[in-house]
Amino acid sequence: MRISRVLIEWIDTMPQLPPINPADLPDRVDISDNSAEVARVRETATAGPYQPTWDSLRGYQPPLWYQDGKFGVFLHWGVFSVPAFGTEWYSRTMYLEGTEEFEHHVATYGPHRKFGYKDFIPSFTMEHFDPDDWAQLFKRAGAQFVVPVAEHHDGFAMYDTGRSRWSAAQMGPRSDVFGQLGQAVERAWMVVGASSHRAEHWFFMNGGARFDSDVRDPAWFDFYGPAQREEIAPNERFLEDWLLRCVEIIDKYRPQILYFDWWIESPAFEPYLRLLAAYYYNSAHQRGREVVINFKWDAFAAGSAVYDIERGAMGGIQDSVWQSDTSVSRTSWSWVEGHEYKNVNELIAELADTVSKNGVLLLNIGPKSDGTIPDEERRLLEGIGTWLTRNGEAIYGSRPWIIPAEGPTELIVGSFVDASSPQYTSADIRFTTRAHVTGDYLYATLLAHPEDGVARIRSFGSGAGLLTRGIQEVSVLGSTEKVAWHRSSESLDVTLPPTTPDLGGGPVVKCFLEPDARPPRVDFLHG
């Protein structure tokens, strides 16, 4: 058969990635009998201050370090950073016929039965991974906690698991990169977390079961499986494995934040969620640590863990602390070519808006497969850190004011609303407050620099009826210069120091409030 010159040229230009070598693989792990380990989990879950019931778990209180910390870094790293195409869902979409990722995969790497997702693993080397460099970057960014993905939907564990041979400890980097990063984060005095996206693996690779692909090959069932239909509830074996993988992460790495993605709200997970939460809370209590579980939608009962909203915003102040998780990129959570990045202004506005509503921001980056953090993502983190160095007093340890915000720009609320960013003006302001031993303080974070150099805060005007106490002193964070200010019925007007730098986010006005006016106590004798 004659092969056309075009086909020969196409084959010659295909990336020559080495496929996985079956002879190099470790032995499969037998996880068929989980009875003893599940019994151990139940024992701990019922032998502490918490029981695996929603009534008991509602007694949970988020730790102060989390409520005060306000800002953390999230990491989506994994095998998907090798193809670096589309999104972190490449392991699914590459098997879905008709998608751009499917066509890209065939055109770039050849038929799925010859080169599947597993064959990217040998090229996931992370040879330039420097955990201490990463930790120091996150520290400079102002992060108080770091939450790396322990396992994503693709089923490849980034930690050293005893429940699967498919892990970074045994393939690809051949190192416990998750554990190494956690140790570096702790050395830098930040809190270590972990995220689990394992639940979705029940169905995630099912596209490859619909045509001739390596997902159908029994040799790879322990990686690609179960590859079931999404409409089918997970069975007990899968749910036990999900539970015990979470427990393994808790026991081995002792994360103080445990983040869960969607799909655990599926009814089949409910008793396992209660069991896991009680185990996690009781285990932490035994170690003298306070911990956080992040959940989405209705997976957990209100008050039993910390609610998380993805790429979203709340409409107002929430009674309980909550979390927003978002990414530096609009395009993907993981590293891909051709990212559409947000800018520092947008990210600082997201942080200020979240905190003003009693929230915490978890900001994601996506390292490359060689173990480096992309230059633009480093620059964005450094930019946030520069702003927080000057203005962090308005963020860390703060609490919401009477209202969270003022300004003309409409903010879309809900999940997945960051496809575009609002064009904020200097009239868009977010408020926080602080009660301190020296007195009470009120902060106004402008989301843009005023062109005329004057911050006008209408909610602080005497006619607004919101700030009923007088103002002793006004300053601008990061400046030692005295500022001119005037309070009228319409607004508090503050002339910013001419040296106020544009750090990518707006300036912050700080007000030192007069003490509460208390009527004098009048005592009299009863006789």
Side-chain angles (χ1 to χ4, degrees), residues 89 92 151-154 196-205 226-228 230 238 242 260-265 269 296:
W89 276 38
R92 176 168 175 78
E151 182 180 349
H152 207 257
H153 312 321
D154 61 357
S196 171
H197 310 243
R198 172 73 187 178
E200 295 86 342
H201 192 67
W202 169 255
F203 64 85
F204 211 64
M205 307 295 206
Q228 288 281 6
E230 189 175 352
F238 180 84
W242 173 86
F260 289 109
D261 205 350
W262 64 294
W263 215 64
I264 61 168
E265 71 271 12
F269 282 91
K296 298 178 182 176

PDB file of all heavy atoms in Angstrom, residues 89 92 151-154 196-205 226-228 230 238 242 260-265 269 296:
ATOM      1  N   TRP A  89      -9.757  18.562  32.248  1.00  0.00           N
ATOM      2  CA  TRP A  89     -10.636  17.428  31.937  1.00  0.00           C
ATOM      3  C   TRP A  89     -10.184  16.669  30.689  1.00  0.00           C
ATOM      4  O   TRP A  89     -10.933  15.888  30.125  1.00  0.00           O
ATOM      5  CB  TRP A  89     -12.065  17.933  31.737  1.00  0.00           C
ATOM      6  CG  TRP A  89     -12.846  18.105  33.000  1.00  0.00           C
ATOM      7  CD1 TRP A  89     -12.398  18.571  34.202  1.00  0.00           C
ATOM      8  CD2 TRP A  89     -14.229  17.800  33.189  1.00  0.00           C
ATOM      9  NE1 TRP A  89     -13.400  18.596  35.122  1.00  0.00           N
ATOM     10  CE2 TRP A  89     -14.544  18.130  34.533  1.00  0.00           C
ATOM     11  CE3 TRP A  89     -15.225  17.307  32.368  1.00  0.00           C
ATOM     12  CZ2 TRP A  89     -15.827  17.967  35.064  1.00  0.00           C
ATOM     13  CZ3 TRP A  89     -16.497  17.144  32.896  1.00  0.00           C
ATOM     14  CH2 TRP A  89     -16.789  17.467  34.225  1.00  0.00           C
ATOM     15  N   ARG A  92     -10.940  13.024  30.184  1.00  0.00           N
ATOM     16  CA  ARG A  92     -12.310  12.658  29.806  1.00  0.00           C
ATOM     17  C   ARG A  92     -12.622  13.061  28.367  1.00  0.00           C
ATOM     18  O   ARG A  92     -13.073  12.250  27.562  1.00  0.00           O
ATOM     19  CB  ARG A  92     -13.319  13.304  30.748  1.00  0.00           C
ATOM     20  CG  ARG A  92     -14.775  13.044  30.360  1.00  0.00           C
ATOM     21  CD  ARG A  92     -15.747  13.446  31.457  1.00  0.00           C
ATOM     22  NE  ARG A  92     -17.141  13.302  31.054  1.00  0.00           N
ATOM     23  CZ  ARG A  92     -17.802  12.160  31.006  1.00  0.00           C
ATOM     24  NH1 ARG A  92     -17.167  11.032  31.294  1.00  0.00           N
ATOM     25  NH2 ARG A  92     -19.071  12.112  30.661  1.00  0.00           N
ATOM     26  N   GLU A 151      -5.640  13.939  44.319  1.00  0.00           N
ATOM     27  CA  GLU A 151      -6.030  13.077  43.194  1.00  0.00           C
ATOM     28  C   GLU A 151      -7.144  13.769  42.438  1.00  0.00           C
ATOM     29  O   GLU A 151      -8.120  14.225  43.032  1.00  0.00           O
ATOM     30  CB  GLU A 151      -6.505  11.706  43.680  1.00  0.00           C
ATOM     31  CG  GLU A 151      -6.880  10.777  42.549  1.00  0.00           C
ATOM     32  CD  GLU A 151      -7.348   9.406  43.027  1.00  0.00           C
ATOM     33  OE1 GLU A 151      -7.188   9.104  44.235  1.00  0.00           O
ATOM     34  OE2 GLU A 151      -7.901   8.649  42.204  1.00  0.00           O
ATOM     35  N   HIS A 152      -7.002  13.841  41.120  1.00  0.00           N
ATOM     36  CA  HIS A 152      -8.036  14.458  40.305  1.00  0.00           C
ATOM     37  C   HIS A 152      -8.928  13.386  39.702  1.00  0.00           C
ATOM     38  O   HIS A 152      -8.786  12.195  39.987  1.00  0.00           O
ATOM     39  CB  HIS A 152      -7.430  15.363  39.226  1.00  0.00           C
ATOM     40  CG  HIS A 152      -8.344  16.464  38.811  1.00  0.00           C
ATOM     41  ND1 HIS A 152      -9.062  16.440  37.641  1.00  0.00           N
ATOM     42  CD2 HIS A 152      -8.712  17.606  39.441  1.00  0.00           C
ATOM     43  CE1 HIS A 152      -9.812  17.526  37.558  1.00  0.00           C
ATOM     44  NE2 HIS A 152      -9.627  18.251  38.646  1.00  0.00           N
ATOM     45  N   HIS A 153      -9.873  13.815  38.856  1.00  0.00           N
ATOM     46  CA  HIS A 153     -10.835  12.883  38.264  1.00  0.00           C
ATOM     47  C   HIS A 153     -10.163  11.777  37.462  1.00  0.00           C
ATOM     48  O   HIS A 153     -10.764  10.734  37.229  1.00  0.00           O
ATOM     49  CB  HIS A 153     -11.807  13.626  37.337  1.00  0.00           C
ATOM     50  CG  HIS A 153     -12.419  14.859  37.909  1.00  0.00           C
ATOM     51  ND1 HIS A 153     -12.818  14.961  39.222  1.00  0.00           N
ATOM     52  CD2 HIS A 153     -12.714  16.061  37.331  1.00  0.00           C
ATOM     53  CE1 HIS A 153     -13.344  16.163  39.427  1.00  0.00           C
ATOM     54  NE2 HIS A 153     -13.285  16.842  38.301  1.00  0.00           N
ATOM     55  N   ASP A 154      -8.937  12.019  36.998  1.00  0.00           N
ATOM     56  CA  ASP A 154      -8.267  11.040  36.138  1.00  0.00           C
ATOM     57  C   ASP A 154      -7.804   9.798  36.889  1.00  0.00           C
ATOM     58  O   ASP A 154      -7.407   8.806  36.266  1.00  0.00           O
ATOM     59  CB  ASP A 154      -7.090  11.679  35.400  1.00  0.00           C
ATOM     60  CG  ASP A 154      -6.011  12.218  36.333  1.00  0.00           C
ATOM     61  OD1 ASP A 154      -6.186  12.149  37.567  1.00  0.00           O
ATOM     62  OD2 ASP A 154      -4.982  12.706  35.818  1.00  0.00           O
ATOM     63  N   SER A 196      -9.550  16.320  47.101  1.00  0.00           N
ATOM     64  CA  SER A 196      -9.858  15.031  46.482  1.00  0.00           C
ATOM     65  C   SER A 196     -10.963  15.216  45.453  1.00  0.00           C
ATOM     66  O   SER A 196     -12.030  15.751  45.761  1.00  0.00           O
ATOM     67  CB  SER A 196     -10.314  14.016  47.534  1.00  0.00           C
ATOM     68  OG  SER A 196     -10.812  12.845  46.906  1.00  0.00           O
ATOM     69  N   HIS A 197     -10.687  14.761  44.244  1.00  0.00           N
ATOM     70  CA  HIS A 197     -11.652  14.802  43.151  1.00  0.00           C
ATOM     71  C   HIS A 197     -11.936  13.377  42.662  1.00  0.00           C
ATOM     72  O   HIS A 197     -12.345  13.174  41.525  1.00  0.00           O
ATOM     73  CB  HIS A 197     -11.123  15.663  42.011  1.00  0.00           C
ATOM     74  CG  HIS A 197     -10.635  17.010  42.441  1.00  0.00           C
ATOM     75  ND1 HIS A 197     -11.210  18.198  42.021  1.00  0.00           N
ATOM     76  CD2 HIS A 197      -9.614  17.374  43.257  1.00  0.00           C
ATOM     77  CE1 HIS A 197     -10.563  19.228  42.571  1.00  0.00           C
ATOM     78  NE2 HIS A 197      -9.592  18.737  43.323  1.00  0.00           N
ATOM     79  N   ARG A 198     -11.662  12.421  43.522  1.00  0.00           N
ATOM     80  CA  ARG A 198     -11.757  11.002  43.175  1.00  0.00           C
ATOM     81  C   ARG A 198     -13.189  10.577  42.854  1.00  0.00           C
ATOM     82  O   ARG A 198     -13.408   9.674  42.037  1.00  0.00           O
ATOM     83  CB  ARG A 198     -11.214  10.161  44.345  1.00  0.00           C
ATOM     84  CG  ARG A 198     -11.414   8.654  44.218  1.00  0.00           C
ATOM     85  CD  ARG A 198     -10.500   8.060  43.192  1.00  0.00           C
ATOM     86  NE  ARG A 198     -10.801   6.644  42.955  1.00  0.00           N
ATOM     87  CZ  ARG A 198     -10.157   5.906  42.072  1.00  0.00           C
ATOM     88  NH1 ARG A 198      -9.177   6.413  41.347  1.00  0.00           N
ATOM     89  NH2 ARG A 198     -10.482   4.641  41.897  1.00  0.00           N
ATOM     90  N   ALA A 199     -14.173  11.184  43.481  1.00  0.00           N
ATOM     91  CA  ALA A 199     -15.554  10.714  43.347  1.00  0.00           C
ATOM     92  C   ALA A 199     -15.978  10.597  41.884  1.00  0.00           C
ATOM     93  O   ALA A 199     -16.611   9.626  41.475  1.00  0.00           O
ATOM     94  CB  ALA A 199     -16.496  11.651  44.096  1.00  0.00           C
ATOM     95  N   GLU A 200     -15.588  11.575  41.070  1.00  0.00           N
ATOM     96  CA  GLU A 200     -16.019  11.607  39.670  1.00  0.00           C
ATOM     97  C   GLU A 200     -15.357  10.519  38.818  1.00  0.00           C
ATOM     98  O   GLU A 200     -15.783  10.275  37.680  1.00  0.00           O
ATOM     99  CB  GLU A 200     -15.721  12.979  39.058  1.00  0.00           C
ATOM    100  CG  GLU A 200     -16.509  14.116  39.666  1.00  0.00           C
ATOM    101  CD  GLU A 200     -15.855  14.705  40.911  1.00  0.00           C
ATOM    102  OE1 GLU A 200     -14.984  14.042  41.517  1.00  0.00           O
ATOM    103  OE2 GLU A 200     -16.206  15.829  41.283  1.00  0.00           O
ATOM    104  N   HIS A 201     -14.341   9.872  39.368  1.00  0.00           N
ATOM    105  CA  HIS A 201     -13.664   8.830  38.590  1.00  0.00           C
ATOM    106  C   HIS A 201     -14.588   7.656  38.299  1.00  0.00           C
ATOM    107  O   HIS A 201     -14.320   6.871  37.379  1.00  0.00           O
ATOM    108  CB  HIS A 201     -12.415   8.341  39.328  1.00  0.00           C
ATOM    109  CG  HIS A 201     -11.509   7.493  38.480  1.00  0.00           C
ATOM    110  ND1 HIS A 201     -10.823   7.995  37.400  1.00  0.00           N
ATOM    111  CD2 HIS A 201     -11.202   6.172  38.547  1.00  0.00           C
ATOM    112  CE1 HIS A 201     -10.125   7.028  36.837  1.00  0.00           C
ATOM    113  NE2 HIS A 201     -10.335   5.912  37.512  1.00  0.00           N
ATOM    114  N   TRP A 202     -15.660   7.521  39.042  1.00  0.00           N
ATOM    115  CA  TRP A 202     -16.648   6.469  38.796  1.00  0.00           C
ATOM    116  C   TRP A 202     -17.066   6.443  37.321  1.00  0.00           C
ATOM    117  O   TRP A 202     -17.224   5.372  36.721  1.00  0.00           O
ATOM    118  CB  TRP A 202     -17.862   6.696  39.683  1.00  0.00           C
ATOM    119  CG  TRP A 202     -19.063   5.848  39.363  1.00  0.00           C
ATOM    120  CD1 TRP A 202     -20.206   6.252  38.737  1.00  0.00           C
ATOM    121  CD2 TRP A 202     -19.248   4.458  39.668  1.00  0.00           C
ATOM    122  NE1 TRP A 202     -21.098   5.215  38.622  1.00  0.00           N
ATOM    123  CE2 TRP A 202     -20.525   4.092  39.186  1.00  0.00           C
ATOM    124  CE3 TRP A 202     -18.456   3.492  40.281  1.00  0.00           C
ATOM    125  CZ2 TRP A 202     -21.035   2.807  39.312  1.00  0.00           C
ATOM    126  CZ3 TRP A 202     -18.962   2.201  40.417  1.00  0.00           C
ATOM    127  CH2 TRP A 202     -20.227   1.871  39.934  1.00  0.00           C
ATOM    128  N   PHE A 203     -17.228   7.615  36.734  1.00  0.00           N
ATOM    129  CA  PHE A 203     -17.713   7.689  35.354  1.00  0.00           C
ATOM    130  C   PHE A 203     -16.744   8.385  34.402  1.00  0.00           C
ATOM    131  O   PHE A 203     -16.998   8.434  33.194  1.00  0.00           O
ATOM    132  CB  PHE A 203     -19.054   8.443  35.314  1.00  0.00           C
ATOM    133  CG  PHE A 203     -18.945   9.888  35.742  1.00  0.00           C
ATOM    134  CD1 PHE A 203     -18.572  10.881  34.841  1.00  0.00           C
ATOM    135  CD2 PHE A 203     -19.206  10.259  37.051  1.00  0.00           C
ATOM    136  CE1 PHE A 203     -18.467  12.204  35.238  1.00  0.00           C
ATOM    137  CE2 PHE A 203     -19.112  11.575  37.456  1.00  0.00           C
ATOM    138  CZ  PHE A 203     -18.731  12.552  36.546  1.00  0.00           C
ATOM    139  N   PHE A 204     -15.651   8.935  34.908  1.00  0.00           N
ATOM    140  CA  PHE A 204     -14.927   9.947  34.152  1.00  0.00           C
ATOM    141  C   PHE A 204     -14.389   9.453  32.814  1.00  0.00           C
ATOM    142  O   PHE A 204     -14.344  10.195  31.846  1.00  0.00           O
ATOM    143  CB  PHE A 204     -13.782  10.502  35.003  1.00  0.00           C
ATOM    144  CG  PHE A 204     -13.466  11.932  34.692  1.00  0.00           C
ATOM    145  CD1 PHE A 204     -14.401  12.928  34.924  1.00  0.00           C
ATOM    146  CD2 PHE A 204     -12.250  12.298  34.160  1.00  0.00           C
ATOM    147  CE1 PHE A 204     -14.141  14.251  34.637  1.00  0.00           C
ATOM    148  CE2 PHE A 204     -11.970  13.622  33.873  1.00  0.00           C
ATOM    149  CZ  PHE A 204     -12.911  14.608  34.118  1.00  0.00           C
ATOM    150  N   MET A 205     -13.956   8.217  32.715  1.00  0.00           N
ATOM    151  CA  MET A 205     -13.347   7.708  31.483  1.00  0.00           C
ATOM    152  C   MET A 205     -14.341   6.938  30.609  1.00  0.00           C
ATOM    153  O   MET A 205     -13.935   6.225  29.700  1.00  0.00           O
ATOM    154  CB  MET A 205     -12.181   6.784  31.830  1.00  0.00           C
ATOM    155  CG  MET A 205     -11.153   7.395  32.753  1.00  0.00           C
ATOM    156  SD  MET A 205     -10.282   8.772  32.006  1.00  0.00           S
ATOM    157  CE  MET A 205      -8.736   8.726  32.925  1.00  0.00           C
ATOM    158  N   PRO A 226     -13.802   2.697  37.250  1.00  0.00           N
ATOM    159  CA  PRO A 226     -14.887   1.867  36.717  1.00  0.00           C
ATOM    160  C   PRO A 226     -15.399   2.279  35.329  1.00  0.00           C
ATOM    161  O   PRO A 226     -15.968   1.454  34.621  1.00  0.00           O
ATOM    162  CB  PRO A 226     -16.008   2.035  37.749  1.00  0.00           C
ATOM    163  CG  PRO A 226     -15.344   2.491  38.995  1.00  0.00           C
ATOM    164  CD  PRO A 226     -14.193   3.337  38.526  1.00  0.00           C
ATOM    165  N   ALA A 227     -15.252   3.552  34.937  1.00  0.00           N
ATOM    166  CA  ALA A 227     -15.740   4.028  33.628  1.00  0.00           C
ATOM    167  C   ALA A 227     -17.211   3.673  33.415  1.00  0.00           C
ATOM    168  O   ALA A 227     -17.632   3.276  32.334  1.00  0.00           O
ATOM    169  CB  ALA A 227     -14.867   3.466  32.498  1.00  0.00           C
ATOM    170  N   GLN A 228     -17.991   3.840  34.474  1.00  0.00           N
ATOM    171  CA  GLN A 228     -19.417   3.540  34.425  1.00  0.00           C
ATOM    172  C   GLN A 228     -20.199   4.733  33.879  1.00  0.00           C
ATOM    173  O   GLN A 228     -19.666   5.827  33.712  1.00  0.00           O
ATOM    174  CB  GLN A 228     -19.912   3.202  35.834  1.00  0.00           C
ATOM    175  CG  GLN A 228     -19.457   1.864  36.351  1.00  0.00           C
ATOM    176  CD  GLN A 228     -20.282   0.726  35.765  1.00  0.00           C
ATOM    177  OE1 GLN A 228     -21.122   0.941  34.876  1.00  0.00           O
ATOM    178  NE2 GLN A 228     -20.048  -0.482  36.248  1.00  0.00           N
ATOM    179  N   GLU A 230     -22.705   7.804  34.184  1.00  0.00           N
ATOM    180  CA  GLU A 230     -22.903   8.771  35.261  1.00  0.00           C
ATOM    181  C   GLU A 230     -24.266   8.605  35.929  1.00  0.00           C
ATOM    182  O   GLU A 230     -24.443   8.935  37.097  1.00  0.00           O
ATOM    183  CB  GLU A 230     -22.765  10.188  34.714  1.00  0.00           C
ATOM    184  CG  GLU A 230     -22.741  11.264  35.771  1.00  0.00           C
ATOM    185  CD  GLU A 230     -22.488  12.640  35.186  1.00  0.00           C
ATOM    186  OE1 GLU A 230     -22.188  12.740  33.982  1.00  0.00           O
ATOM    187  OE2 GLU A 230     -22.605  13.611  35.940  1.00  0.00           O
ATOM    188  N   PHE A 238     -16.771   0.791  45.283  1.00  0.00           N
ATOM    189  CA  PHE A 238     -16.186   2.073  44.887  1.00  0.00           C
ATOM    190  C   PHE A 238     -16.266   3.072  46.026  1.00  0.00           C
ATOM    191  O   PHE A 238     -15.314   3.815  46.300  1.00  0.00           O
ATOM    192  CB  PHE A 238     -16.903   2.630  43.655  1.00  0.00           C
ATOM    193  CG  PHE A 238     -16.354   3.957  43.192  1.00  0.00           C
ATOM    194  CD1 PHE A 238     -15.241   4.017  42.374  1.00  0.00           C
ATOM    195  CD2 PHE A 238     -16.947   5.151  43.598  1.00  0.00           C
ATOM    196  CE1 PHE A 238     -14.722   5.239  41.954  1.00  0.00           C
ATOM    197  CE2 PHE A 238     -16.433   6.381  43.190  1.00  0.00           C
ATOM    198  CZ  PHE A 238     -15.313   6.418  42.365  1.00  0.00           C
ATOM    199  N   TRP A 242     -13.285   5.006  47.837  1.00  0.00           N
ATOM    200  CA  TRP A 242     -13.249   6.472  47.931  1.00  0.00           C
ATOM    201  C   TRP A 242     -13.016   6.904  49.376  1.00  0.00           C
ATOM    202  O   TRP A 242     -12.167   7.763  49.655  1.00  0.00           O
ATOM    203  CB  TRP A 242     -14.575   7.053  47.419  1.00  0.00           C
ATOM    204  CG  TRP A 242     -14.690   8.523  47.638  1.00  0.00           C
ATOM    205  CD1 TRP A 242     -14.227   9.526  46.830  1.00  0.00           C
ATOM    206  CD2 TRP A 242     -15.277   9.172  48.787  1.00  0.00           C
ATOM    207  NE1 TRP A 242     -14.493  10.756  47.395  1.00  0.00           N
ATOM    208  CE2 TRP A 242     -15.129  10.569  48.590  1.00  0.00           C
ATOM    209  CE3 TRP A 242     -15.906   8.714  49.935  1.00  0.00           C
ATOM    210  CZ2 TRP A 242     -15.604  11.494  49.510  1.00  0.00           C
ATOM    211  CZ3 TRP A 242     -16.372   9.643  50.858  1.00  0.00           C
ATOM    212  CH2 TRP A 242     -16.221  11.016  50.645  1.00  0.00           C
ATOM    213  N   PHE A 260     -13.371  19.103  48.757  1.00  0.00           N
ATOM    214  CA  PHE A 260     -14.026  18.162  47.860  1.00  0.00           C
ATOM    215  C   PHE A 260     -14.672  18.899  46.693  1.00  0.00           C
ATOM    216  O   PHE A 260     -15.311  19.933  46.875  1.00  0.00           O
ATOM    217  CB  PHE A 260     -15.094  17.344  48.597  1.00  0.00           C
ATOM    218  CG  PHE A 260     -14.519  16.340  49.545  1.00  0.00           C
ATOM    219  CD1 PHE A 260     -14.623  16.531  50.916  1.00  0.00           C
ATOM    220  CD2 PHE A 260     -13.861  15.219  49.078  1.00  0.00           C
ATOM    221  CE1 PHE A 260     -14.091  15.614  51.800  1.00  0.00           C
ATOM    222  CE2 PHE A 260     -13.316  14.292  49.956  1.00  0.00           C
ATOM    223  CZ  PHE A 260     -13.428  14.490  51.319  1.00  0.00           C
ATOM    224  N   ASP A 261     -14.521  18.321  45.523  1.00  0.00           N
ATOM    225  CA  ASP A 261     -15.180  18.844  44.340  1.00  0.00           C
ATOM    226  C   ASP A 261     -16.625  18.350  44.332  1.00  0.00           C
ATOM    227  O   ASP A 261     -17.089  17.703  45.265  1.00  0.00           O
ATOM    228  CB  ASP A 261     -14.413  18.379  43.099  1.00  0.00           C
ATOM    229  CG  ASP A 261     -14.604  19.308  41.922  1.00  0.00           C
ATOM    230  OD1 ASP A 261     -15.467  20.198  41.985  1.00  0.00           O
ATOM    231  OD2 ASP A 261     -13.890  19.139  40.908  1.00  0.00           O
ATOM    232  N   TRP A 262     -17.314  18.648  43.256  1.00  0.00           N
ATOM    233  CA  TRP A 262     -18.715  18.279  43.118  1.00  0.00           C
ATOM    234  C   TRP A 262     -18.881  16.754  43.031  1.00  0.00           C
ATOM    235  O   TRP A 262     -17.920  16.002  43.094  1.00  0.00           O
ATOM    236  CB  TRP A 262     -19.301  18.932  41.864  1.00  0.00           C
ATOM    237  CG  TRP A 262     -18.661  18.433  40.606  1.00  0.00           C
ATOM    238  CD1 TRP A 262     -17.372  18.615  40.227  1.00  0.00           C
ATOM    239  CD2 TRP A 262     -19.264  17.635  39.596  1.00  0.00           C
ATOM    240  NE1 TRP A 262     -17.124  18.000  39.030  1.00  0.00           N
ATOM    241  CE2 TRP A 262     -18.280  17.385  38.612  1.00  0.00           C
ATOM    242  CE3 TRP A 262     -20.545  17.115  39.400  1.00  0.00           C
ATOM    243  CZ2 TRP A 262     -18.529  16.631  37.462  1.00  0.00           C
ATOM    244  CZ3 TRP A 262     -20.797  16.368  38.253  1.00  0.00           C
ATOM    245  CH2 TRP A 262     -19.801  16.134  37.301  1.00  0.00           C
ATOM    246  N   TRP A 263     -20.077  16.321  42.886  1.00  0.00           N
ATOM    247  CA  TRP A 263     -20.567  14.956  42.686  1.00  0.00           C
ATOM    248  C   TRP A 263     -20.644  14.152  43.965  1.00  0.00           C
ATOM    249  O   TRP A 263     -21.354  13.150  44.009  1.00  0.00           O
ATOM    250  CB  TRP A 263     -19.784  14.175  41.623  1.00  0.00           C
ATOM    251  CG  TRP A 263     -20.689  13.246  40.853  1.00  0.00           C
ATOM    252  CD1 TRP A 263     -21.724  13.624  40.052  1.00  0.00           C
ATOM    253  CD2 TRP A 263     -20.676  11.819  40.849  1.00  0.00           C
ATOM    254  NE1 TRP A 263     -22.351  12.510  39.532  1.00  0.00           N
ATOM    255  CE2 TRP A 263     -21.723  11.396  39.992  1.00  0.00           C
ATOM    256  CE3 TRP A 263     -19.892  10.868  41.454  1.00  0.00           C
ATOM    257  CZ2 TRP A 263     -22.007  10.057  39.750  1.00  0.00           C
ATOM    258  CZ3 TRP A 263     -20.165   9.522  41.212  1.00  0.00           C
ATOM    259  CH2 TRP A 263     -21.209   9.118  40.363  1.00  0.00           C
ATOM    260  N   ILE A 264     -19.964  14.559  45.034  1.00  0.00           N
ATOM    261  CA  ILE A 264     -20.177  13.877  46.309  1.00  0.00           C
ATOM    262  C   ILE A 264     -21.562  14.177  46.865  1.00  0.00           C
ATOM    263  O   ILE A 264     -21.984  13.543  47.842  1.00  0.00           O
ATOM    264  CB  ILE A 264     -19.098  14.231  47.360  1.00  0.00           C
ATOM    265  CG1 ILE A 264     -19.110  15.737  47.657  1.00  0.00           C
ATOM    266  CG2 ILE A 264     -17.726  13.751  46.930  1.00  0.00           C
ATOM    267  CD1 ILE A 264     -18.287  16.106  48.886  1.00  0.00           C
ATOM    268  N   GLU A 265     -22.276  15.133  46.240  1.00  0.00           N
ATOM    269  CA  GLU A 265     -23.652  15.386  46.668  1.00  0.00           C
ATOM    270  C   GLU A 265     -24.608  14.307  46.152  1.00  0.00           C
ATOM    271  O   GLU A 265     -25.792  14.297  46.496  1.00  0.00           O
ATOM    272  CB  GLU A 265     -24.132  16.764  46.214  1.00  0.00           C
ATOM    273  CG  GLU A 265     -24.375  16.899  44.726  1.00  0.00           C
ATOM    274  CD  GLU A 265     -23.130  17.328  43.958  1.00  0.00           C
ATOM    275  OE1 GLU A 265     -22.037  17.290  44.546  1.00  0.00           O
ATOM    276  OE2 GLU A 265     -23.264  17.690  42.770  1.00  0.00           O
ATOM    277  N   PHE A 269     -23.313   8.823  48.268  1.00  0.00           N
ATOM    278  CA  PHE A 269     -22.173   9.217  49.095  1.00  0.00           C
ATOM    279  C   PHE A 269     -22.579   9.625  50.517  1.00  0.00           C
ATOM    280  O   PHE A 269     -21.723   9.698  51.402  1.00  0.00           O
ATOM    281  CB  PHE A 269     -21.427  10.393  48.446  1.00  0.00           C
ATOM    282  CG  PHE A 269     -20.529   9.998  47.312  1.00  0.00           C
ATOM    283  CD1 PHE A 269     -20.999   9.981  46.012  1.00  0.00           C
ATOM    284  CD2 PHE A 269     -19.200   9.655  47.535  1.00  0.00           C
ATOM    285  CE1 PHE A 269     -20.183   9.626  44.956  1.00  0.00           C
ATOM    286  CE2 PHE A 269     -18.369   9.300  46.489  1.00  0.00           C
ATOM    287  CZ  PHE A 269     -18.858   9.274  45.190  1.00  0.00           C
ATOM    288  N   LYS A 296     -19.311  21.557  48.126  1.00  0.00           N
ATOM    289  CA  LYS A 296     -20.116  22.336  47.194  1.00  0.00           C
ATOM    290  C   LYS A 296     -21.570  21.863  47.220  1.00  0.00           C
ATOM    291  O   LYS A 296     -21.869  20.748  47.662  1.00  0.00           O
ATOM    292  CB  LYS A 296     -19.556  22.204  45.775  1.00  0.00           C
ATOM    293  CG  LYS A 296     -18.142  22.748  45.646  1.00  0.00           C
ATOM    294  CD  LYS A 296     -17.595  22.554  44.248  1.00  0.00           C
ATOM    295  CE  LYS A 296     -16.167  23.064  44.154  1.00  0.00           C
ATOM    296  NZ  LYS A 296     -15.553  22.822  42.841  1.00  0.00           N
TER     297      LYS A 296
END
